[in-house]
């Protein structure tokens, strides 16, 4: 799922189902439907890992919190990812989460 939309219309207290991403460092971007970028961060995704990435409010604005889950890990060197919006009062604009591979 390189350079693709992972979730949209993710309102407060919503969470996606798990999807598969390739293991490695990925850039996760939170933006609105008009393309305005609110946040962009590189996160590591472990081989056969299971992760929840939460969009949160901090004193400095939006941030991402990566949480290791303990459930059924995906096979074949992939990583599983789900996204939750815990940023209270983010308003009606949908959040778009995209990820793409970061080369070293």
């Amino acid at each position: 799922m390189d350079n693709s939309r992972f979730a949209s219309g993710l309102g407060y207290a919503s969470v996606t189902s798990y999807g598969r991403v390739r293991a490695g460092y990925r850039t996760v971007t939170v933006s609105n439907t008009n393309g305005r970028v609110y946040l962009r961060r590189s996160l590591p995704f472990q081989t056969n890992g299971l992760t929840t990435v939460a969009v949160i409010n901090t004193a400095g604005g939006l941030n991402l919190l990566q949480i290791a889950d303990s459930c059924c890990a995906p096979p074949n060197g992939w990583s599983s990812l789900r996204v939750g919006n815990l940023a209270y009062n983010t308003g009606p604009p949908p959040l778009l989460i995209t990820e793409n591979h970061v080369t070293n």
Side-chain angles (χ1 to χ4, degrees), residues 7-54:
S8 64
L10 193 63
Y12 173 67
S14 298
V15 66
T16 67
S17 58
Y18 284 101
R20 294 192 327 171
V21 296
R22 294 187 193 280
Y25 277 86
R26 304 282 169 182
T27 300
V28 179
T29 304
V30 178
S31 61
N32 68 12
T33 54
N34 297 327
R36 178 178 176 208
V37 173
Y38 296 110
L39 172 65
R40 182 173 284 141
R41 270 189 65 198
S42 178
L43 298 174
F45 293 94
Q46 301 296 320
T47 301
N48 299 330
L50 197 62
T51 303
T52 296
V53 174

Side-chain angles (χ1 to χ4, degrees), residues 1-4 6 19-28 42-51 53 66 74-81 98-103:
M1 177 178 48
D2 290 333
N3 247 356
S4 60
F6 188 83
R20 294 192 327 171
V21 296
R22 294 187 193 280
Y25 277 86
R26 304 282 169 182
T27 300
V28 179
S42 178
L43 298 174
F45 293 94
Q46 301 296 320
T47 301
N48 299 330
L50 197 62
T51 303
V53 174
Q66 192 171 15
N76 302 325
W78 285 82
S79 183
S80 283
L81 162 71
T98 59
E99 63 86 24
N100 59 340
H101 184 65
V102 176
T103 57

Side-chain angles (χ1 to χ4, degrees), residues 30 38-41 43 53-66 84-87:
V30 178
Y38 296 110
L39 172 65
R40 182 173 284 141
R41 270 189 65 198
L43 298 174
V53 174
V55 180
I56 61 171
N57 282 328
T58 66
L62 289 180
N63 205 348
L64 298 176
L65 177 64
Q66 192 171 15
N85 182 359
L86 302 179

